[in-house]
Amino acid sequence: TGDATRLYAEAPTARVMNGLVQAVVRRAVAQLPGGQGLQILELGAGTGGTTAGLLPLLPAESCRYTFTDIGPSFLSQARTRFAQFPFIHYQQLDIEQPPLAHGFAPSQADLIIAANVLHATQDLGVTLDHVRQLLQPGGQLVLLETTTASRWLDLTFGLTEGWWRFADARQEQPLLDSASWQTLLETHGFADVAILEQDGQAVIVARATAQPVALPERTWLILADQQGVGATLAAGLRDRGEQVAVAYAGSSFASDTNGTFRINPSDPADYQALLAHLPHLHGVVHLWSLETVADGTVPLGQVAAMERGSGSALRLVQALLEANVEPAGLWLVTQGAQAVTPDDRVRGHAQAGLWGLGRVVALEHPELRAVCVDLDGTTGSDVHARDLQALLQSSGGGDERQVALRVGHPYVARLERLPIAEPEAFPIRADATYLITGGLGGLGLAVARWLVEQGARQLLLVGRRGPSVAAQETLAALAAQGATITVMQGDVSDRARVQQILDAVDPAAPLA
């Protein structure tokens, strides 16, 4: 890997060609309208030789860089190497396979970079069709390719299987000259092809045309809310040429010819019937938790709202598993259920349980690609739908499983090391009682020993069962140190028993 890194990043010709790619990216950044983000996708990024020169040029606050490769080991190495760049994401991608069927969104990239990778595919026409599906109309494709055959290339790379994989019109070796690249690009949906060659290497820049792109047959399923977020999201996806089915909560299963369904959220059979109508299901967006309004009231009632959100999501997951459906993503959406920014107020507490379910699903059934999404609690349905659509189109099969959307800004979960503050002294009083629930287990007895060492003389230990022989020995040792130990049986889930235990505390040594 080290030799390959030096070859693709440090060789004189590589430095010149990578510099030209950097110039193209620098110009794309400079031409960005104010406030607009930039979506960059690199194909076959490998050792990151090209990536390393690009990342420092990019605005961290408005860029998303997707590093892809067919090999998971390259992704793992890149995560370590580029850890200081928070805007880079890593996804496995074989560009010879239909990317939209493997979790990527159509037109998700403004700029696609492929350095010394496309020639290694079997059919360049099919490959370019896949690339075109991932590019926005008007988006740019930047290729770095060798355009002149030479014996040393055959001797160096001819020992690798990938050098001879081509099965299209190429003859004898996989490389194309500049004229062939231009013709091929213009045949597969690209225009304004510009090619700069030097010493047998070329940087090729082409623009994706606005002509319709043939998309694989696939359908989004939206379990739509009554606030209008789902309806607006469905309209936005349809405007981009996507097929969308919308399901609303109803009393029983029903459908119409416009792709609108009604199902009983409590009936598992209705979910199975819904999925049976959608043989090419691509992604699922669950919005049934959005039943609280801006002031935090819950029209359905707290229990019914939680059932509508988490209960329906559970039945949806079960139906997907029974139908053996593995979507590109299952987005479980709440509103105001997470405190992310200093201004956040958690009004969607009735929805918060869905995040717990979503985390369990992500761990137990990673094939469903469950993502928990929290919308802010103040903006309207149009903004929420816009933010959700941007997330769906940019995340593809990404590895983020918890996202909070705050007026166009996505927040993701990260652990940060915080300085450890000196703990405040906890005064232990000899004239007070200390109650330990679970006090007869190993941890409870350890806490009891510590309290006595700190000067406590009145302990009340509560457990569901009486003390074991070992626990009795510990209690005797504590009593020998001058402590008065009271043991009571009880379960803290029994309110009446807890009240009896509290009433038993000696007023002369009040509960501290």
Side-chain angles (χ1 to χ4, degrees), residues 8-76:
Y8 289 119
E10 300 175 11
T13 303
R15 287 202 299 268
V16 172
M17 293 295 108
N18 284 333
L20 292 174
V21 175
Q22 292 164 21
V24 173
V25 172
R26 192 180 285 113
R27 184 177 64 180
V29 172
Q31 293 175 346
L32 275 178
Q36 181 173 324
L38 180 65
Q39 300 273 352
I40 300 178
L41 189 150
E42 184 177 358
L43 301 172
T47 63
T50 300
T51 318
L54 298 177
L55 295 179
L57 307 176
L58 302 173
E61 70 282 355
S62 59
C63 180
R64 179 187 175 95
Y65 195 106
T66 304
F67 182 108
T68 74
D69 199 276
I70 193 172
S73 62
F74 286 123
L75 302 184
S76 177

Side-chain angles (χ1 to χ4, degrees), residues 35-282:
Q36 181 173 324
L38 180 65
Q39 300 273 352
I40 300 178
L41 189 150
E42 184 177 358
L43 301 172
T47 63
T50 300
T51 318
L54 298 177
L55 295 179
L57 307 176
L58 302 173
E61 70 282 355
S62 59
C63 180
R64 179 187 175 95
Y65 195 106
T66 304
F67 182 108
T68 74
D69 199 276
I70 193 172
S73 62
F74 286 123
L75 302 184
S76 177
Q77 293 165 14
R79 282 190 177 94
T80 302
R81 182 180 181 186
F82 303 124
Q84 73 271 32
F85 298 100
F87 55 85
I88 187 169
H89 301 262
Y90 306 89
Q91 287 181 241
Q92 197 167 352
L93 171 62
D94 180 358
I95 195 59
E96 295 189 81
Q97 303 300 319
L100 307 189
H102 292 81
F104 288 81
S107 305
Q108 79 172 58
D110 303 299
L111 178 64
I112 290 182
I113 299 165
N116 299 301
V117 62
L118 294 195
H119 67 263
T121 60
Q122 284 189 308
D123 190 318
L124 277 172
V126 172
T127 297
L128 287 176
D129 287 341
H130 294 164
V131 172
R132 178 66 185 82
Q133 291 175 5
L134 293 171
L135 258 181
Q136 290 267 14
Q140 283 189 317
L141 170 65
V142 181
L143 303 180
L144 201 165
E145 285 286 347
T146 300
T147 53
T148 302
S150 65
R151 293 299 183 191
W152 83 265
L153 287 172
D154 286 339
L155 289 172
T156 303
F157 297 101
L159 298 177
T160 64
E161 179 183 357
W163 191 250
W164 307 107
R165 292 186 67 252
F166 56 90
D168 48 15
R170 287 172 284 178
Q171 301 292 323
E172 298 183 359
Q173 50 87 32
L175 303 177
L176 296 181
D177 59 27
S178 297
S180 298
W181 271 114
Q182 179 156 356
T183 300
L184 189 65
L185 287 163
E186 291 174 346
T187 305
H188 290 273
F190 293 90
D192 300 334
V193 180
I195 302 176
L196 181 60
E197 281 189 282
Q198 181 171 326
D199 298 331
Q201 288 274 312
V203 171
I204 306 169
V205 182
R207 177 180 55 82
T209 63
Q211 68 189 46
V213 179
L215 299 178
E217 189 172 1
R218 64 184 204 169
T219 302
W220 288 88
L221 170 60
I222 299 176
L223 275 64
D225 59 306
Q226 299 298 325
Q227 299 182 29
V229 177
T232 306
L233 175 61
L237 291 172
R238 287 174 180 140
D239 287 344
R240 299 185 65 85
E242 299 276 10
Q243 299 182 52
V244 184
V246 180
Y248 291 95
S251 58
S252 61
F253 181 84
S255 64
D256 61 25
T257 57
N258 298 320
T260 300
F261 298 83
R262 292 195 177 275
I263 69 172
N264 185 336
S266 301
D267 189 348
D270 280 9
Y271 294 86
Q272 296 170 3
L274 175 63
L275 295 181
H277 281 71
L278 306 173
H280 303 289
L281 186 61
H282 174 66

Side-chain angles (χ1 to χ4, degrees), residues 451-467:
L451 283 167
V452 172
E453 290 169 359
Q454 303 305 310
R457 290 297 176 263
Q458 303 288 335
L459 298 185
L460 174 54
L461 307 185
V462 178
R464 285 182 293 180
R465 289 172 291 275

